[in-house]
Amino acid sequence: MRSYIDGFERRDWETGDADGVVRLAVVGLGGFARDFALPALADADYCEPTVAVSGSPDVAAAVAADYDLSATVDYDAFADGAAADDYDAAYVVTPHSLHPEHVAAAAALGKDVLCEKSLAATVEGGERIVEAVAAAGVRFVTAYRLQFEPAIRRARELLADGFVGNPVHVHGHFSVTSLATPDEPADDWRLDPDRSGGGALVDLGLYPLNTTRFLLDADPTSVFGRTRSEHAAFADVDEHVSVVAGFDGHDPSVDAVWTASAQAHRASHLTVIGTDGELTLDPVFYEGERQGLRLDRGGVTSRFTLDPVDQLREQFDYFGHCVLTGEDPRPDARHGLRDLELVEAIYESAERGAAVEV
Amino acid sequence: MRSYIDGFERRDWETGDADGVVRLAVVGLGGFARDFALPALADADYCEPTVAVSGSPDVAAAVAADYDLSATVDYDAFADGAAADDYDAAYVVTPHSLHPEHVAAAAALGKDVLCEKSLAATVEGGERIVEAVAAAGVRFVTAYRLQFEPAIRRARELLADGFVGNPVHVHGHFSVTSLATPDEPADDWRLDPDRSGGGALVDLGLYPLNTTRFLLDADPTSVFGRTRSEHAAFADVDEHVSVVAGFDGHDPSVDAVWTASAQAHRASHLTVIGTDGELTLDPVFYEGERQGLRLDRGGVTSRFTLDPVDQLREQFDYFGHCVLTGEDPRPDARHGLRDLELVEAIYESAERGAAVEV
């Protein structure tokens, strides 16, 4: 037990020699980049921010001063290769609809890319990324930070080891209170489906969806979705979403039920119930907060409360480590594209009131 | 807090003078009746078993000896009014498909009836019960024991008091390992859809479904279901089931996701996530076992571990108390019929791969 606990946060991916540090261009300086990503990057072992790419010179200048960057450029200059000698790879953290052009620009410059999820606002955008990355032959990671989080990785190992027997059902939920005044329209690209690709499903539902894919190492083959909006701010996107997904390619088959809300009490959980046990992570999806893990098997219930881990730092270091050691990183662009296909199928299902095969 | 804790298990329905004890005919002596219901009845304040109705004279004789009953009769004699002076009301606990004829027989004799859920194996059977009860003018309760369970009743009060704000999503799960050798066909009426009305959904899924109806005081208006079976014993009924239900009549609308399995690790939970908080019961659905209640609101998380309560005894006492005081009991036959309509809609949905309005 002591070695299990002591090794709980181990970086199982940290093998081979990684010399140096990958210099990153941070493409997009919105709230998430400034408040979460840049502080994590500043702390990372294998990455450092060196260039800021933004449409706002003032924001870029402030960030450059805070993090002692070597250059700031706008999007056009970035695409033209400005300051390309000052960074080795790009971290794309713009609104979803802009990912394809920013990834394509970085890939065309021969730069490896870490791109925030959702990969794009549409399946077509995701396909463009897959093609651009393949054509340029660069390394690419879709930034599902949960896949680098120790509790999730330990849960995945437990499932692979048969801890719950055969998984039978998965429950997942993620909700936050996005807006203080949801009855008023809000100026946020996440509320514009053309820029975001969708509402609660894309912003929050992807967490239980993608984490279930990662935990089971399988993809849904059938999805049914229900979406609804109550408040004016969510007139154009789903405020709440519920999904039933069938993983019929998993042997034996598994069903997952996921819910997400962009305007509800902060809550998150992920539960896998199998033939021989149950594994629950609660809370699970918040960046930089405590997580809970409960395991039930053979009459023994164990509960772990886990100190916060900087999931973004883990993710940046994983990416940097792969770049430095030449390893093939995951989750790749096709993995991110699969989520876009699932999102599209879930919205189509909600529209039609029927399950959609994917 | 002290008065809240001290009053946690209070019988809020126990008002008015209830003199005497209601003498019950126990109609059906299967495992559930012998192992759970009769011991609870023997302990009850307002009910006592006096007559056993069974097709097996040996079983009836053994039960009569154990519980000092005044008479044992077979089903035909029961319908003819045998020993009718020895009981005041009937508790019907036969296979679901037989409920209509046994309820109709008791009602025709002018006896009040407590009938196990599921109310019948089909919607038609349930309608027959509604009509028989109305025609005879007797009292009737569908035996949803969870509705008499203190933790569930306290949860309902908390929700009515706005503890979670507006409910947004409900998650529910119930699973047991029914069979030691699921690969072999088993001789159990629950596995015969003609007698049971269905598999995991009817036997287990009704718990989260009906408890959600009770907690929200609302009914689903749209359901989507997925069913599947892996093992030979479940060839004719669903071994696993997943449901998304829309409570569009609730203001604002609520979605519920429920899963149940007749062949998985013992697990049960019910979670209501609202705009201002979260309420979780885990475990929740087992008879006579500890329950857990977790409440999250305003940055305060409280956890209650509750000693076992004999839910069946609570239910028998509620029924007896209503009979003795002349109160109109709930949940009535129409409430039980509604679940049959929902079950039928969920199976139809699973067949068609589309949501069904109810």
Side-chain angles (χ1 to χ4, degrees), chain A residues 164 166-173 175 177 222-224 226-228 230-231 240-248 252-261 263-269 271 273-278 280 282-283 294 296-299 303 352-356, chain B residues 164 166-173 175 177 222-224 226-228 230-231 240-248 252-261 263-269 271 273-278 280 282-283 294 296-299 303 352-356:
Chain A
V164 306
N166 290 325
V168 174
H169 284 118
V170 176
H171 278 249
H173 174 81
S175 55
T177 305
S222 171
V223 290
F224 173 83
R226 266 178 66 88
T227 57
R228 63 196 156 91
E230 286 168 52
H231 296 100
H240 314 296
V241 62
S242 309
V243 179
V244 180
F247 287 71
D248 290 332
S253 178
V254 180
D255 278 5
V257 289
W258 303 307
T259 56
S261 173
Q263 197 64 26
H265 179 71
R266 264 172 80 83
S268 77
H269 71 260
T271 297
I273 301 136
T275 48
D276 300 329
E278 181 179 1
T280 294
D282 181 356
R294 189 183 79 182
D296 292 289
R297 176 183 167 86
R303 295 173 194 273
R352 287 174 37 200
V356 170
Chain B
V164 306
N166 290 325
V168 175
H169 283 118
V170 177
H171 278 248
H173 174 81
S175 55
T177 305
S222 171
V223 290
F224 173 84
R226 266 178 65 89
T227 57
R228 63 197 156 90
E230 287 168 51
H231 296 99
H240 314 297
V241 62
S242 308
V243 179
V244 180
F247 287 71
D248 291 331
S253 177
V254 181
D255 279 4
V257 289
W258 302 307
T259 55
S261 172
Q263 196 65 27
H265 180 71
R266 263 171 83 83
S268 78
H269 71 260
T271 297
I273 301 136
T275 49
D276 300 330
E278 181 179 4
T280 294
D282 181 357
R294 189 184 79 181
D296 293 289
R297 178 184 166 84
R303 295 173 195 270
R352 287 175 35 201
V356 171

Side-chain angles (χ1 to χ4, degrees), chain B residues 69-90:
Chain B
L69 306 183
S70 31
T72 66
V73 298
D74 66 20
Y75 293 112
D76 287 342
F78 172 71
D80 289 341
D85 290 342
D86 289 341
Y87 62 94
D88 307 307

Side-chain angles (χ1 to χ4, degrees), chain B residues 201-230:
Chain B
L201 173 60
V202 170
D203 198 31
L204 301 159
L206 275 193
Y207 286 76
L209 187 162
N210 187 267
T211 306
T212 304
R213 289 179 62 202
F214 181 67
L215 289 180
L216 299 181
D217 199 16
D219 288 352
T221 47
S222 171
V223 290
F224 173 84
R226 266 178 65 89
T227 57
R228 63 197 156 90
S229 292
E230 287 168 51

Side-chain angles (χ1 to χ4, degrees), chain B residues 178-192 195 231-237 263:
Chain B
S178 302
L179 304 173
T181 54
D183 285 321
E184 298 163 19
D187 180 25
D188 186 329
W189 65 265
R190 286 178 185 79
L191 300 170
D192 173 359
R195 285 191 283 171
H231 296 99
F234 298 94
D236 299 324
V237 294
Q263 196 65 27

Side-chain angles (χ1 to χ4, degrees), chain A residues 160-242:
Chain A
D161 191 35
F163 188 88
V164 306
N166 290 325
V168 174
H169 284 118
V170 176
H171 278 249
H173 174 81
F174 192 12
S175 55
V176 298
T177 305
S178 302
L179 303 172
T181 55
D183 285 321
E184 297 163 22
D187 180 25
D188 185 328
W189 64 265
R190 286 178 186 77
L191 300 170
D192 173 357
D194 292 337
R195 286 191 283 170
S196 62
L201 173 60
V202 170
D203 199 30
L204 301 159
L206 275 192
Y207 286 76
L209 187 163
N210 187 266
T211 307
T212 303
R213 288 178 64 201
F214 182 66
L215 289 180
L216 299 181
D217 199 16
D219 287 353
T221 47
S222 171
V223 290
F224 173 83
R226 266 178 66 88
T227 57
R228 63 196 156 91
S229 291
E230 286 168 52
H231 296 100
F234 299 94
D236 300 324
V237 294
D238 47 305
E239 181 175 352
H240 314 296
V241 62
S242 309

